[in-house]
Amino acid sequence: MALTVHDVDRFEASRPRLEAIAYRLLGSAGEAEDAVQETFLRWQAADVGRIEVPEAWLTKVLTNLCLNQLASARARRETYVGQWLPEPLLAGDPMLGPADTAEQRESVSYAVLTLLERLSPNERAVYVLREAFAYPHREIAEILDLTEAASQQIHHRARKHVAEGRARTEIDESAARRIVEEFLAAATSGRTEPLVRLLTQDAVAIGDGGGKVPARTKAFEGALAVAKFMRGLFKPGKAKRDLVGGSPEIHAATANGGPAVVVVLDGRVIGVLCLEVTADGIAAFRSQANPDKLERATERWAATDHGKPLFNIF
C-alpha cells in the first residue's frame, strides 16, 4: 500500500528520535541510519491505517532491528582489529538526541556508550529506552515482549553495571574547554609530571584504529604509563607528519557531551580524543582514529564554526 504524504510526514517527524535511539543502541551513526531506513521500509510495507499508535509501532520495529544488529555485531567485534570504540558525535549533532536531564546526557556520553558494550542486547535496550527517553516499563515490556516486572529487573541490573563502571561528573562546555586546554598544555610540555598530576591513579588510555590507523591493541593503564604515552603522542616528529600526511590542527571541542580533542588535517577529522573526567582527575582517554567512524564528525566539522586551532601538532 502506497504511503500518503501524511504517512511520510509522520515517519519523518519520528526520525530524529529513532536515530537517537538507534545510535545509543548500536554505537554507530552509520548503522543507526541504516536501521532507521529499514524501519521506514517496514513502515512503507505496513497497513499504516491500522496502526493505532505509530510512535510505539516504529519504536518497536526499530528496537528489534537494532537487537538483531547487536547480536551479529558481537560476532564481528570478536574479529575486530584492536580495541573497538563507539563512533563519537560532535556537539550539536542531532543524533545525540535529548539532553534535558542528567540521565539523558549521561546515556550518550562516550564513557557510558563504551560501558554499554558490556551489557546484553536486552539490558542495553531497556537502559536506553528508560534512561534516555523515559519510556515507562509497561511500554518497554511491550516493545521487547517482556513482562513489566522483567523490564524493571533488567533496568535495575543494567543501571548497576553502568554505575559500577564510572563515577558521574557533569561538565559544561566552557569547563570542558578549560580541561582540554590544561591537558594539552601538560601533554606538550615535554615533561611527564604535569600530566600525572591531572590523572587519576588508575587512569587508562584506549585507542581504536580499526586496523586502518596504527593504534595499540592493549590499553595503557596507570597514571604514569598513560602520561608517558600522551607525552610521546604529542611530541613533534617527521615520522608522525609523514604518517598522517601533514601537520594536523588541534582543537578543543565537545564530543558526546564531554571534553574532547579534535585532530583535523585539511578539513578532515582524523582523530577524536574523548576525555572522561571525574572529581579526582582525568580517568580515561578514548581515542577514535578509525576513518570509517569519523566521516560524520568530518561532515559536522565542515558545517560548523569551530574557531581557530589551539596549535598545529607535529
Side-chain angles (χ1 to χ4, degrees):
M1 184 179 294
L3 294 180
T4 66
V5 172
H6 176 62
D7 294 332
V8 174
D9 287 345
R10 282 199 295 178
F11 181 87
E12 291 303 324
S14 295
R15 184 183 290 274
R17 178 181 57 84
L18 296 174
E19 288 188 344
I21 292 173
Y23 171 68
R24 284 167 168 82
L25 288 176
L26 300 173
S28 164
E31 290 180 2
E33 289 176 336
D34 291 343
V36 172
Q37 185 58 29
E38 180 60 31
T39 303
F40 175 73
L41 295 177
R42 303 285 179 93
W43 174 252
Q44 191 175 40
D47 185 355
V48 298
R50 298 173 64 89
I51 298 175
E52 295 182 3
V53 186
E55 179 181 293
W57 188 93
L58 291 170
T59 303
K60 183 178 179 71
V61 170
L62 173 81
T63 301
N64 282 285
L65 285 170
C66 289
L67 289 177
N68 292 337
Q69 181 77 1
L70 281 173
S72 62
R74 289 199 166 197
R76 291 199 309 274
R77 287 168 193 170
E78 288 178 1
T79 60
Y80 191 82
V81 179
Q83 301 278 346
W84 187 96
L85 290 174
E87 179 177 348
L89 297 182
L90 300 182
D93 193 311
M95 197 174 280
L96 289 169
D100 298 326
T101 67
E103 290 77 14
Q104 289 173 336
R105 292 188 291 273
E106 183 180 55
S107 72
V108 80
S109 72
Y110 207 64
V112 166
L113 285 180
T114 304
L115 287 170
L116 290 182
E117 288 295 307
R118 302 179 185 178
L119 304 183
S120 71
N122 264 9
E123 286 175 336
R124 187 164 183 163
V126 171
Y127 181 89
V128 166
L129 292 172
R130 182 65 178 167
E131 294 291 307
F133 298 91
Y135 276 83
H137 284 291
R138 175 181 53 79
E139 292 185 21
I140 295 174
E142 292 174 357
I143 290 169
L144 297 175
D145 294 324
L146 303 168
T147 65
E148 189 170 343
S151 176
Q152 292 170 339
Q153 291 171 356
I154 291 171
H155 177 240
H156 176 76
R157 188 164 63 243
R159 284 196 71 181
K160 186 172 183 289
H161 288 326
V162 172
E164 288 173 349
R166 72 185 299 263
R168 178 190 292 181
T169 303
E170 288 253 38
I171 299 171
D172 61 30
E173 193 165 343
S174 61
R177 182 178 180 86
R178 289 196 300 273
I179 290 167
V180 171
E181 290 175 347
E182 187 176 4
F183 158 67
L184 288 173
T188 56
S189 68
R191 295 183 296 122
T192 303
E193 294 79 7
L195 272 169
V196 171
R197 288 196 293 269
L198 294 178
L199 309 179
T200 62
Q201 285 302 306
D202 59 351
V204 297
I206 307 168
D208 179 351
K212 300 183 178 184
V213 174
R216 181 181 166 94
T217 57
K218 186 178 180 181
F220 289 91
E221 299 181 355
L224 184 59
V226 171
K228 288 180 177 179
F229 168 66
M230 288 297 166
R231 185 190 65 188
L233 183 65
F234 286 92
K235 184 178 181 180
K238 183 178 182 301
K240 294 177 182 177
R241 288 194 297 272
D242 292 343
L243 179 65
V244 300
S247 183
E249 298 175 345
I250 300 298
H251 293 262
T254 304
N256 292 77
V261 177
V262 177
V263 185
V264 182
L265 180 64
D266 298 330
R268 178 171 54 90
V269 175
I270 63 170
V272 177
L273 175 63
C274 297
L275 284 64
E276 182 181 352
V277 180
T278 70
D280 297 323
I282 302 173
F285 298 92
R286 298 180 177 90
S287 57
Q288 184 55 260
N290 184 343
D292 294 341
K293 298 182 183 181
L294 294 173
E295 292 179 0
R296 188 178 178 97
T298 295
E299 292 173 4
R300 181 72 191 168
W301 192 258
T304 57
D305 179 14
H306 34 72
K308 295 181 179 179
L310 294 177
F311 58 87
N312 283 70
I313 196 171
F314 309 153

